Amino acid sequence: MDRVVDRVQLARTVLGAAATIALVLAYNVDRNRWEDAAWGGVANLIVAPFVLLIAGPLVILGFISYAPPHLRPLLRSRLRAPLKAVGWYVLTLGVIGGILVLTAQIDDRDGKSWWEYALAVAALLVIVWGLPFFFLASLYSARSAFNSAQVHPMLPPVLTLALVWVFAGFNLIGDGMPGGPPVVQLCSVLGGGRCR
């Protein structure tokens, strides 16, 4: 079953990219659109876990509420894995941010104490190891939707759908309607295209 899902996801991604490229080539009004699309994709990957942290609980609450009444206690009992993943993610973010903020507040005019040296070493570790780890953890968290498949196998696609619509709304607010005739604009917005 996973191979079928992977093939469908790959086909959807290829078709979406081809449709976006075709729309950009047909109705391109901005020469910097390719660079904007690349940076927008990277920004979406970085922002996706934070959007999931905000919108995810609402979607999960709706998902469990929509389930048949006899399955709701079972689904609620399986929330431990996603909550644990969210907790570790937020803790990692807090530790990295806390160390960097404390290091930025060290005063260079005074003599250094042992804890300031320790904090500087911790900041170096955060920059060399912690930030790449956090970036990769963000990518995994966005892809797995914080291990929400532990609750129900259909929950990650539902969360992904909500995430796509949130990003489509952000793109519509930020960039406006895409280029082209009204029918193409509507299809592009509803299909998640980003040509402008």
mmCIF file of all heavy atoms in Angstrom, residues 65-118:
data_model
loop_
_atom_site.group_PDB
_atom_site.id
_atom_site.type_symbol
_atom_site.label_atom_id
_atom_site.label_comp_id
_atom_site.label_asym_id
_atom_site.label_seq_id
_atom_site.Cartn_x
_atom_site.Cartn_y
_atom_site.Cartn_z
ATOM 1 N N SER A 65 -13.591 14.749 16.457
ATOM 2 C CA SER A 65 -15.019 15.035 16.625
ATOM 3 C C SER A 65 -15.851 14.447 15.500
ATOM 4 O O SER A 65 -16.999 14.054 15.716
ATOM 5 C CB SER A 65 -15.260 16.545 16.689
ATOM 6 O OG SER A 65 -14.603 17.100 17.787
ATOM 7 N N TYR A 66 -15.287 14.382 14.307
ATOM 8 C CA TYR A 66 -16.001 13.841 13.157
ATOM 9 C C TYR A 66 -16.039 12.309 13.164
ATOM 10 O O TYR A 66 -16.880 11.707 12.518
ATOM 11 C CB TYR A 66 -15.355 14.353 11.869
ATOM 12 C CG TYR A 66 -16.101 13.963 10.628
ATOM 13 C CD1 TYR A 66 -17.325 14.558 10.311
ATOM 14 C CD2 TYR A 66 -15.595 12.999 9.766
ATOM 15 C CE1 TYR A 66 -18.022 14.201 9.164
ATOM 16 C CE2 TYR A 66 -16.281 12.638 8.621
ATOM 17 C CZ TYR A 66 -17.482 13.236 8.325
ATOM 18 O OH TYR A 66 -18.173 12.883 7.196
ATOM 19 N N ALA A 67 -15.112 11.682 13.896
ATOM 20 C CA ALA A 67 -15.056 10.217 13.953
ATOM 21 C C ALA A 67 -16.311 9.670 14.638
ATOM 22 O O ALA A 67 -16.963 10.379 15.424
ATOM 23 C CB ALA A 67 -13.808 9.784 14.716
ATOM 24 N N PRO A 68 -16.651 8.424 14.349
ATOM 25 C CA PRO A 68 -17.791 7.819 15.043
ATOM 26 C C PRO A 68 -17.568 7.830 16.556
ATOM 27 O O PRO A 68 -16.430 7.703 17.024
ATOM 28 C CB PRO A 68 -17.816 6.383 14.509
ATOM 29 C CG PRO A 68 -17.088 6.437 13.206
ATOM 30 C CD PRO A 68 -16.079 7.538 13.349
ATOM 31 N N PRO A 69 -18.637 7.996 17.319
ATOM 32 C CA PRO A 69 -18.492 8.138 18.776
ATOM 33 C C PRO A 69 -17.743 6.990 19.447
ATOM 34 O O PRO A 69 -16.994 7.225 20.401
ATOM 35 C CB PRO A 69 -19.938 8.209 19.275
ATOM 36 C CG PRO A 69 -20.725 8.698 18.109
ATOM 37 C CD PRO A 69 -20.024 8.174 16.886
ATOM 38 N N HIS A 70 -17.880 5.781 18.946
ATOM 39 C CA HIS A 70 -17.205 4.658 19.600
ATOM 40 C C HIS A 70 -15.697 4.645 19.335
ATOM 41 O O HIS A 70 -14.952 3.977 20.046
ATOM 42 C CB HIS A 70 -17.844 3.324 19.178
ATOM 43 C CG HIS A 70 -17.629 2.986 17.734
ATOM 44 N ND1 HIS A 70 -18.378 3.545 16.721
ATOM 45 C CD2 HIS A 70 -16.729 2.153 17.136
ATOM 46 C CE1 HIS A 70 -17.969 3.067 15.555
ATOM 47 N NE2 HIS A 70 -16.965 2.229 15.778
ATOM 48 N N LEU A 71 -15.208 5.387 18.331
ATOM 49 C CA LEU A 71 -13.771 5.449 18.030
ATOM 50 C C LEU A 71 -13.065 6.636 18.683
ATOM 51 O O LEU A 71 -11.847 6.663 18.752
ATOM 52 C CB LEU A 71 -13.554 5.518 16.521
ATOM 53 C CG LEU A 71 -13.860 4.257 15.728
ATOM 54 C CD1 LEU A 71 -13.610 4.493 14.252
ATOM 55 C CD2 LEU A 71 -13.021 3.094 16.226
ATOM 56 N N ARG A 72 -13.812 7.603 19.158
ATOM 57 C CA ARG A 72 -13.196 8.811 19.710
ATOM 58 C C ARG A 72 -12.265 8.536 20.893
ATOM 59 O O ARG A 72 -11.160 9.074 20.926
ATOM 60 C CB ARG A 72 -14.274 9.815 20.095
ATOM 61 C CG ARG A 72 -14.971 10.408 18.899
ATOM 62 C CD ARG A 72 -16.061 11.355 19.291
ATOM 63 N NE ARG A 72 -16.888 11.653 18.124
ATOM 64 C CZ ARG A 72 -18.101 12.099 18.177
ATOM 65 N NH1 ARG A 72 -18.672 12.350 19.348
ATOM 66 N NH2 ARG A 72 -18.780 12.328 17.077
ATOM 67 N N PRO A 73 -12.660 7.700 21.867
ATOM 68 C CA PRO A 73 -11.716 7.432 22.972
ATOM 69 C C PRO A 73 -10.426 6.768 22.497
ATOM 70 O O PRO A 73 -9.338 7.083 22.989
ATOM 71 C CB PRO A 73 -12.503 6.501 23.897
ATOM 72 C CG PRO A 73 -13.930 6.739 23.575
ATOM 73 C CD PRO A 73 -13.967 7.097 22.125
ATOM 74 N N LEU A 74 -10.528 5.878 21.507
ATOM 75 C CA LEU A 74 -9.339 5.224 20.968
ATOM 76 C C LEU A 74 -8.421 6.239 20.297
ATOM 77 O O LEU A 74 -7.199 6.231 20.514
ATOM 78 C CB LEU A 74 -9.741 4.137 19.972
ATOM 79 C CG LEU A 74 -8.589 3.438 19.248
ATOM 80 C CD1 LEU A 74 -7.750 2.642 20.239
ATOM 81 C CD2 LEU A 74 -9.125 2.553 18.149
ATOM 82 N N LEU A 75 -8.985 7.140 19.502
ATOM 83 C CA LEU A 75 -8.174 8.150 18.830
ATOM 84 C C LEU A 75 -7.528 9.102 19.834
ATOM 85 O O LEU A 75 -6.358 9.476 19.680
ATOM 86 C CB LEU A 75 -9.034 8.931 17.828
ATOM 87 C CG LEU A 75 -9.570 8.137 16.629
ATOM 88 C CD1 LEU A 75 -10.473 9.005 15.773
ATOM 89 C CD2 LEU A 75 -8.439 7.554 15.807
ATOM 90 N N ARG A 76 -8.283 9.484 20.865
ATOM 91 C CA ARG A 76 -7.701 10.369 21.890
ATOM 92 C C ARG A 76 -6.575 9.671 22.646
ATOM 93 O O ARG A 76 -5.575 10.310 23.001
ATOM 94 C CB ARG A 76 -8.785 10.830 22.860
ATOM 95 C CG ARG A 76 -9.630 11.957 22.332
ATOM 96 C CD ARG A 76 -10.483 12.577 23.424
ATOM 97 N NE ARG A 76 -11.448 11.652 23.977
ATOM 98 C CZ ARG A 76 -12.713 11.528 23.569
ATOM 99 N NH1 ARG A 76 -13.161 12.292 22.589
ATOM 100 N NH2 ARG A 76 -13.521 10.660 24.125
ATOM 101 N N SER A 77 -6.699 8.372 22.848
ATOM 102 C CA SER A 77 -5.647 7.646 23.574
ATOM 103 C C SER A 77 -4.362 7.549 22.758
ATOM 104 O O SER A 77 -3.295 7.319 23.316
ATOM 105 C CB SER A 77 -6.136 6.251 23.961
ATOM 106 O OG SER A 77 -6.264 5.432 22.810
ATOM 107 N N ARG A 78 -4.438 7.709 21.454
ATOM 108 C CA ARG A 78 -3.258 7.627 20.589
ATOM 109 C C ARG A 78 -2.569 8.962 20.371
ATOM 110 O O ARG A 78 -1.630 9.059 19.591
ATOM 111 C CB ARG A 78 -3.661 7.056 19.230
ATOM 112 C CG ARG A 78 -4.122 5.633 19.290
ATOM 113 C CD ARG A 78 -4.501 5.155 17.929
ATOM 114 N NE ARG A 78 -4.871 3.764 17.924
ATOM 115 C CZ ARG A 78 -5.305 3.134 16.843
ATOM 116 N NH1 ARG A 78 -5.398 3.775 15.694
ATOM 117 N NH2 ARG A 78 -5.629 1.873 16.909
ATOM 118 N N LEU A 79 -3.011 9.995 21.028
ATOM 119 C CA LEU A 79 -2.421 11.330 20.855
ATOM 120 C C LEU A 79 -1.053 11.471 21.522
ATOM 121 O O LEU A 79 -0.383 12.477 21.341
ATOM 122 C CB LEU A 79 -3.363 12.404 21.406
ATOM 123 C CG LEU A 79 -4.575 12.726 20.555
ATOM 124 C CD1 LEU A 79 -5.506 13.674 21.295
ATOM 125 C CD2 LEU A 79 -4.142 13.335 19.234
ATOM 126 N N ARG A 80 -0.638 10.485 22.277
ATOM 127 C CA ARG A 80 0.622 10.592 23.015
ATOM 128 C C ARG A 80 1.829 10.788 22.089
ATOM 129 O O ARG A 80 2.695 11.627 22.350
ATOM 130 C CB ARG A 80 0.815 9.365 23.890
ATOM 131 C CG ARG A 80 2.036 9.446 24.732
ATOM 132 C CD ARG A 80 2.184 8.266 25.634
ATOM 133 N NE ARG A 80 3.275 8.505 26.546
ATOM 134 C CZ ARG A 80 3.367 7.993 27.707
ATOM 135 N NH1 ARG A 80 2.425 7.197 28.154
ATOM 136 N NH2 ARG A 80 4.399 8.250 28.474
ATOM 137 N N ALA A 81 1.914 10.026 20.994
ATOM 138 C CA ALA A 81 3.069 10.134 20.087
ATOM 139 C C ALA A 81 3.155 11.518 19.442
ATOM 140 O O ALA A 81 4.238 12.131 19.440
ATOM 141 C CB ALA A 81 3.028 9.037 19.029
ATOM 142 N N PRO A 82 2.053 12.059 18.888
ATOM 143 C CA PRO A 82 2.175 13.410 18.335
ATOM 144 C C PRO A 82 2.485 14.468 19.386
ATOM 145 O O PRO A 82 3.268 15.384 19.131
ATOM 146 C CB PRO A 82 0.805 13.665 17.697
ATOM 147 C CG PRO A 82 0.208 12.343 17.475
ATOM 148 C CD PRO A 82 0.769 11.455 18.542
ATOM 149 N N LEU A 83 1.884 14.345 20.564
ATOM 150 C CA LEU A 83 2.172 15.322 21.623
ATOM 151 C C LEU A 83 3.627 15.254 22.064
ATOM 152 O O LEU A 83 4.253 16.283 22.331
ATOM 153 C CB LEU A 83 1.241 15.101 22.814
ATOM 154 C CG LEU A 83 -0.221 15.474 22.574
ATOM 155 C CD1 LEU A 83 -1.071 15.072 23.781
ATOM 156 C CD2 LEU A 83 -0.359 16.946 22.287
ATOM 157 N N LYS A 84 4.176 14.052 22.107
ATOM 158 C CA LYS A 84 5.588 13.888 22.459
ATOM 159 C C LYS A 84 6.486 14.520 21.395
ATOM 160 O O LYS A 84 7.454 15.217 21.711
ATOM 161 C CB LYS A 84 5.897 12.397 22.605
ATOM 162 C CG LYS A 84 7.251 12.089 23.142
ATOM 163 C CD LYS A 84 7.383 10.576 23.335
ATOM 164 C CE LYS A 84 8.757 10.206 23.816
ATOM 165 N NZ LYS A 84 8.915 8.759 23.956
ATOM 166 N N ALA A 85 6.153 14.308 20.109
ATOM 167 C CA ALA A 85 6.936 14.914 19.022
ATOM 168 C C ALA A 85 6.866 16.433 19.080
ATOM 169 O O ALA A 85 7.879 17.118 18.910
ATOM 170 C CB ALA A 85 6.430 14.403 17.666
ATOM 171 N N VAL A 86 5.679 16.977 19.334
ATOM 172 C CA VAL A 86 5.530 18.434 19.459
ATOM 173 C C VAL A 86 6.334 18.948 20.647
ATOM 174 O O VAL A 86 7.017 19.971 20.555
ATOM 175 C CB VAL A 86 4.040 18.818 19.588
ATOM 176 C CG1 VAL A 86 3.888 20.260 20.032
ATOM 177 C CG2 VAL A 86 3.312 18.587 18.277
ATOM 178 N N GLY A 87 6.269 18.227 21.764
ATOM 179 C CA GLY A 87 7.020 18.639 22.962
ATOM 180 C C GLY A 87 8.520 18.688 22.716
ATOM 181 O O GLY A 87 9.181 19.658 23.091
ATOM 182 N N TRP A 88 9.067 17.657 22.070
ATOM 183 C CA TRP A 88 10.495 17.652 21.768
ATOM 184 C C TRP A 88 10.865 18.761 20.794
ATOM 185 O O TRP A 88 11.924 19.381 20.921
ATOM 186 C CB TRP A 88 10.934 16.294 21.205
ATOM 187 C CG TRP A 88 11.107 15.254 22.266
ATOM 188 C CD1 TRP A 88 10.332 14.154 22.472
ATOM 189 C CD2 TRP A 88 12.115 15.234 23.276
ATOM 190 N NE1 TRP A 88 10.796 13.451 23.548
ATOM 191 C CE2 TRP A 88 11.899 14.085 24.066
ATOM 192 C CE3 TRP A 88 13.175 16.062 23.603
ATOM 193 C CZ2 TRP A 88 12.703 13.762 25.145
ATOM 194 C CZ3 TRP A 88 13.975 15.739 24.680
ATOM 195 C CH2 TRP A 88 13.741 14.599 25.434
ATOM 196 N N TYR A 89 10.007 19.021 19.831
ATOM 197 C CA TYR A 89 10.267 20.080 18.857
ATOM 198 C C TYR A 89 10.300 21.443 19.545
ATOM 199 O O TYR A 89 11.223 22.235 19.335
ATOM 200 C CB TYR A 89 9.201 20.042 17.761
ATOM 201 C CG TYR A 89 9.476 20.980 16.622
ATOM 202 C CD1 TYR A 89 10.340 20.631 15.602
ATOM 203 C CD2 TYR A 89 8.876 22.232 16.567
ATOM 204 C CE1 TYR A 89 10.598 21.490 14.551
ATOM 205 C CE2 TYR A 89 9.123 23.092 15.519
ATOM 206 C CZ TYR A 89 9.986 22.720 14.512
ATOM 207 O OH TYR A 89 10.248 23.581 13.492
ATOM 208 N N VAL A 90 9.311 21.713 20.362
ATOM 209 C CA VAL A 90 9.243 23.006 21.064
ATOM 210 C C VAL A 90 10.392 23.129 22.062
ATOM 211 O O VAL A 90 10.990 24.205 22.199
ATOM 212 C CB VAL A 90 7.865 23.169 21.744
ATOM 213 C CG1 VAL A 90 7.841 24.382 22.654
ATOM 214 C CG2 VAL A 90 6.760 23.265 20.701
ATOM 215 N N LEU A 91 10.736 22.042 22.750
ATOM 216 C CA LEU A 91 11.863 22.069 23.692
ATOM 217 C C LEU A 91 13.168 22.366 22.962
ATOM 218 O O LEU A 91 13.972 23.185 23.424
ATOM 219 C CB LEU A 91 11.952 20.744 24.444
ATOM 220 C CG LEU A 91 13.098 20.624 25.438
ATOM 221 C CD1 LEU A 91 12.889 21.594 26.602
ATOM 222 C CD2 LEU A 91 13.226 19.203 25.950
ATOM 223 N N THR A 92 13.374 21.727 21.820
ATOM 224 C CA THR A 92 14.587 21.985 21.028
ATOM 225 C C THR A 92 14.652 23.438 20.597
ATOM 226 O O THR A 92 15.697 24.090 20.704
ATOM 227 C CB THR A 92 14.620 21.061 19.795
ATOM 228 O OG1 THR A 92 14.562 19.707 20.227
ATOM 229 C CG2 THR A 92 15.870 21.277 18.979
ATOM 230 N N LEU A 93 13.537 23.955 20.117
ATOM 231 C CA LEU A 93 13.477 25.363 19.712
ATOM 232 C C LEU A 93 13.775 26.281 20.897
ATOM 233 O O LEU A 93 14.532 27.242 20.772
ATOM 234 C CB LEU A 93 12.110 25.684 19.123
ATOM 235 C CG LEU A 93 11.876 27.130 18.690
ATOM 236 C CD1 LEU A 93 12.821 27.497 17.567
ATOM 237 C CD2 LEU A 93 10.433 27.325 18.266
ATOM 238 N N GLY A 94 13.214 25.974 22.061
ATOM 239 C CA GLY A 94 13.447 26.792 23.257
ATOM 240 C C GLY A 94 14.899 26.773 23.708
ATOM 241 O O GLY A 94 15.458 27.811 24.073
ATOM 242 N N VAL A 95 15.518 25.593 23.692
ATOM 243 C CA VAL A 95 16.923 25.486 24.114
ATOM 244 C C VAL A 95 17.834 26.234 23.142
ATOM 245 O O VAL A 95 18.704 27.002 23.563
ATOM 246 C CB VAL A 95 17.336 24.000 24.242
ATOM 247 C CG1 VAL A 95 18.842 23.859 24.400
ATOM 248 C CG2 VAL A 95 16.622 23.352 25.413
ATOM 249 N N ILE A 96 17.635 26.022 21.849
ATOM 250 C CA ILE A 96 18.468 26.712 20.854
ATOM 251 C C ILE A 96 18.290 28.225 20.964
ATOM 252 O O ILE A 96 19.266 28.978 21.005
ATOM 253 C CB ILE A 96 18.136 26.209 19.432
ATOM 254 C CG1 ILE A 96 18.652 24.795 19.252
ATOM 255 C CG2 ILE A 96 18.716 27.132 18.373
ATOM 256 C CD1 ILE A 96 18.236 24.142 17.948
ATOM 257 N N GLY A 97 17.043 28.670 21.018
ATOM 258 C CA GLY A 97 16.786 30.109 21.137
ATOM 259 C C GLY A 97 17.324 30.678 22.435
ATOM 260 O O GLY A 97 17.915 31.769 22.450
ATOM 261 N N GLY A 98 17.144 29.961 23.535
ATOM 262 C CA GLY A 98 17.626 30.444 24.833
ATOM 263 C C GLY A 98 19.139 30.591 24.868
ATOM 264 O O GLY A 98 19.667 31.598 25.364
ATOM 265 N N ILE A 99 19.850 29.604 24.347
ATOM 266 C CA ILE A 99 21.319 29.672 24.338
ATOM 267 C C ILE A 99 21.803 30.829 23.467
ATOM 268 O O ILE A 99 22.702 31.584 23.855
ATOM 269 C CB ILE A 99 21.923 28.335 23.874
ATOM 270 C CG1 ILE A 99 21.732 27.280 24.969
ATOM 271 C CG2 ILE A 99 23.395 28.477 23.524
ATOM 272 C CD1 ILE A 99 22.146 25.891 24.572
ATOM 273 N N LEU A 100 21.190 30.999 22.303
ATOM 274 C CA LEU A 100 21.628 32.087 21.422
ATOM 275 C C LEU A 100 21.302 33.461 22.002
ATOM 276 O O LEU A 100 22.099 34.393 21.889
ATOM 277 C CB LEU A 100 21.007 31.919 20.033
ATOM 278 C CG LEU A 100 21.506 30.711 19.238
ATOM 279 C CD1 LEU A 100 20.794 30.612 17.909
ATOM 280 C CD2 LEU A 100 23.009 30.757 19.053
ATOM 281 N N VAL A 101 20.140 33.589 22.654
ATOM 282 C CA VAL A 101 19.787 34.875 23.269
ATOM 283 C C VAL A 101 20.723 35.185 24.437
ATOM 284 O O VAL A 101 21.204 36.321 24.572
ATOM 285 C CB VAL A 101 18.308 34.869 23.725
ATOM 286 C CG1 VAL A 101 18.014 36.027 24.655
ATOM 287 C CG2 VAL A 101 17.392 34.925 22.519
ATOM 288 N N LEU A 102 21.000 34.205 25.280
ATOM 289 C CA LEU A 102 21.912 34.429 26.410
ATOM 290 C C LEU A 102 23.318 34.771 25.926
ATOM 291 O O LEU A 102 23.986 35.629 26.502
ATOM 292 C CB LEU A 102 21.943 33.203 27.315
ATOM 293 C CG LEU A 102 20.721 32.985 28.190
ATOM 294 C CD1 LEU A 102 20.834 31.665 28.940
ATOM 295 C CD2 LEU A 102 20.544 34.136 29.170
ATOM 296 N N THR A 103 23.769 34.114 24.876
ATOM 297 C CA THR A 103 25.108 34.389 24.343
ATOM 298 C C THR A 103 25.180 35.800 23.773
ATOM 299 O O THR A 103 26.200 36.479 23.902
ATOM 300 C CB THR A 103 25.475 33.359 23.262
ATOM 301 O OG1 THR A 103 25.360 32.055 23.820
ATOM 302 C CG2 THR A 103 26.881 33.565 22.765
ATOM 303 N N ALA A 104 24.106 36.249 23.149
ATOM 304 C CA ALA A 104 24.092 37.599 22.573
ATOM 305 C C ALA A 104 24.154 38.670 23.648
ATOM 306 O O ALA A 104 24.568 39.800 23.381
ATOM 307 C CB ALA A 104 22.848 37.790 21.718
ATOM 308 N N GLN A 105 23.781 38.341 24.878
ATOM 309 C CA GLN A 105 23.762 39.328 25.959
ATOM 310 C C GLN A 105 25.068 39.386 26.742
ATOM 311 O O GLN A 105 25.185 40.173 27.677
ATOM 312 C CB GLN A 105 22.603 39.030 26.909
ATOM 313 C CG GLN A 105 21.253 39.223 26.253
ATOM 314 C CD GLN A 105 20.102 38.866 27.168
ATOM 315 O OE1 GLN A 105 20.292 38.346 28.257
ATOM 316 N NE2 GLN A 105 18.895 39.140 26.709
ATOM 317 N N ILE A 106 26.071 38.587 26.373
ATOM 318 C CA ILE A 106 27.362 38.627 27.060
ATOM 319 C C ILE A 106 28.030 39.961 26.759
ATOM 320 O O ILE A 106 28.122 40.386 25.608
ATOM 321 C CB ILE A 106 28.266 37.460 26.622
ATOM 322 C CG1 ILE A 106 27.679 36.134 27.118
ATOM 323 C CG2 ILE A 106 29.682 37.639 27.135
ATOM 324 C CD1 ILE A 106 28.466 34.922 26.670
ATOM 325 N N ASP A 107 28.524 40.603 27.797
ATOM 326 C CA ASP A 107 29.182 41.899 27.652
ATOM 327 C C ASP A 107 30.676 41.664 27.469
ATOM 328 O O ASP A 107 31.329 41.045 28.302
ATOM 329 C CB ASP A 107 28.900 42.750 28.895
ATOM 330 C CG ASP A 107 29.368 44.185 28.713
ATOM 331 O OD1 ASP A 107 29.746 44.557 27.595
ATOM 332 O OD2 ASP A 107 29.329 44.926 29.713
ATOM 333 N N ASP A 108 31.230 42.163 26.370
ATOM 334 C CA ASP A 108 32.647 41.948 26.061
ATOM 335 C C ASP A 108 33.575 42.833 26.884
ATOM 336 O O ASP A 108 34.763 42.576 26.974
ATOM 337 C CB ASP A 108 32.912 42.217 24.573
ATOM 338 C CG ASP A 108 32.304 41.150 23.690
ATOM 339 O OD1 ASP A 108 32.033 40.051 24.203
ATOM 340 O OD2 ASP A 108 32.100 41.422 22.491
ATOM 341 N N ARG A 109 33.066 43.873 27.517
ATOM 342 C CA ARG A 109 33.932 44.804 28.250
ATOM 343 C C ARG A 109 34.411 44.223 29.571
ATOM 344 O O ARG A 109 35.509 44.498 30.017
ATOM 345 C CB ARG A 109 33.189 46.108 28.507
ATOM 346 C CG ARG A 109 32.908 46.881 27.224
ATOM 347 C CD ARG A 109 32.058 48.058 27.495
ATOM 348 N NE ARG A 109 30.709 47.545 27.793
ATOM 349 C CZ ARG A 109 29.677 48.285 28.136
ATOM 350 N NH1 ARG A 109 29.808 49.580 28.247
ATOM 351 N NH2 ARG A 109 28.499 47.755 28.357
ATOM 352 N N ASP A 110 33.595 43.437 30.217
ATOM 353 C CA ASP A 110 33.977 42.857 31.506
ATOM 354 C C ASP A 110 34.823 41.610 31.280
ATOM 355 O O ASP A 110 34.840 41.022 30.215
ATOM 356 C CB ASP A 110 32.733 42.482 32.316
ATOM 357 C CG ASP A 110 31.876 43.706 32.622
ATOM 358 O OD1 ASP A 110 32.420 44.822 32.629
ATOM 359 O OD2 ASP A 110 30.662 43.524 32.857
ATOM 360 N N GLY A 111 35.504 41.190 32.340
ATOM 361 C CA GLY A 111 36.247 39.936 32.282
ATOM 362 C C GLY A 111 35.274 38.770 32.171
ATOM 363 O O GLY A 111 34.167 38.807 32.688
ATOM 364 N N LYS A 112 35.691 37.734 31.508
ATOM 365 C CA LYS A 112 34.840 36.583 31.293
ATOM 366 C C LYS A 112 34.918 35.641 32.493
ATOM 367 O O LYS A 112 35.967 35.396 33.053
ATOM 368 C CB LYS A 112 35.263 35.821 30.045
ATOM 369 C CG LYS A 112 35.205 36.647 28.795
ATOM 370 C CD LYS A 112 33.938 36.334 28.061
ATOM 371 C CE LYS A 112 33.940 36.948 26.703
ATOM 372 N NZ LYS A 112 33.302 38.227 26.643
ATOM 373 N N SER A 113 33.767 35.120 32.871
ATOM 374 C CA SER A 113 33.731 34.104 33.912
ATOM 375 C C SER A 113 33.617 32.738 33.248
ATOM 376 O O SER A 113 33.419 32.634 32.039
ATOM 377 C CB SER A 113 32.553 34.346 34.861
ATOM 378 O OG SER A 113 31.345 34.195 34.169
ATOM 379 N N TRP A 114 33.721 31.682 34.038
ATOM 380 C CA TRP A 114 33.698 30.331 33.476
ATOM 381 C C TRP A 114 32.358 30.017 32.793
ATOM 382 O O TRP A 114 32.322 29.327 31.786
ATOM 383 C CB TRP A 114 33.993 29.281 34.541
ATOM 384 C CG TRP A 114 32.917 29.184 35.589
ATOM 385 C CD1 TRP A 114 32.825 29.895 36.750
ATOM 386 C CD2 TRP A 114 31.749 28.363 35.517
ATOM 387 N NE1 TRP A 114 31.682 29.572 37.418
ATOM 388 C CE2 TRP A 114 31.003 28.613 36.680
ATOM 389 C CE3 TRP A 114 31.264 27.438 34.601
ATOM 390 C CZ2 TRP A 114 29.807 27.981 36.945
ATOM 391 C CZ3 TRP A 114 30.077 26.799 34.870
ATOM 392 C CH2 TRP A 114 29.357 27.076 36.041
ATOM 393 N N TRP A 115 31.262 30.556 33.316
ATOM 394 C CA TRP A 115 29.957 30.233 32.719
ATOM 395 C C TRP A 115 29.772 30.934 31.379
ATOM 396 O O TRP A 115 29.066 30.448 30.503
ATOM 397 C CB TRP A 115 28.801 30.528 33.681
ATOM 398 C CG TRP A 115 28.502 31.989 33.881
ATOM 399 C CD1 TRP A 115 29.036 32.814 34.813
ATOM 400 C CD2 TRP A 115 27.600 32.779 33.111
ATOM 401 N NE1 TRP A 115 28.541 34.089 34.676
ATOM 402 C CE2 TRP A 115 27.645 34.085 33.633
ATOM 403 C CE3 TRP A 115 26.766 32.525 32.041
ATOM 404 C CZ2 TRP A 115 26.894 35.129 33.109
ATOM 405 C CZ3 TRP A 115 26.007 33.573 31.526
ATOM 406 C CH2 TRP A 115 26.081 34.853 32.076
ATOM 407 N N GLU A 116 30.421 32.097 31.196
ATOM 408 C CA GLU A 116 30.345 32.772 29.905
ATOM 409 C C GLU A 116 31.116 31.995 28.835
ATOM 410 O O GLU A 116 30.692 31.929 27.683
ATOM 411 C CB GLU A 116 30.863 34.202 30.022
ATOM 412 C CG GLU A 116 29.925 35.087 30.823
ATOM 413 C CD GLU A 116 30.476 36.479 31.068
ATOM 414 O OE1 GLU A 116 31.714 36.619 31.204
ATOM 415 O OE2 GLU A 116 29.666 37.415 31.112
ATOM 416 N N TYR A 117 32.252 31.405 29.237
ATOM 417 C CA TYR A 117 32.976 30.538 28.308
ATOM 418 C C TYR A 117 32.155 29.294 27.974
ATOM 419 O O TYR A 117 32.099 28.865 26.822
ATOM 420 C CB TYR A 117 34.339 30.142 28.881
ATOM 421 C CG TYR A 117 35.344 31.259 28.852
ATOM 422 C CD1 TYR A 117 35.816 31.828 30.027
ATOM 423 C CD2 TYR A 117 35.827 31.754 27.641
ATOM 424 C CE1 TYR A 117 36.728 32.865 30.012
ATOM 425 C CE2 TYR A 117 36.755 32.789 27.607
ATOM 426 C CZ TYR A 117 37.197 33.337 28.798
ATOM 427 O OH TYR A 117 38.101 34.358 28.759
ATOM 428 N N ALA A 118 31.527 28.722 28.977
ATOM 429 C CA ALA A 118 30.680 27.543 28.749
ATOM 430 C C ALA A 118 29.511 27.887 27.831
ATOM 431 O O ALA A 118 29.140 27.106 26.953
ATOM 432 C CB ALA A 118 30.177 26.994 30.077
#
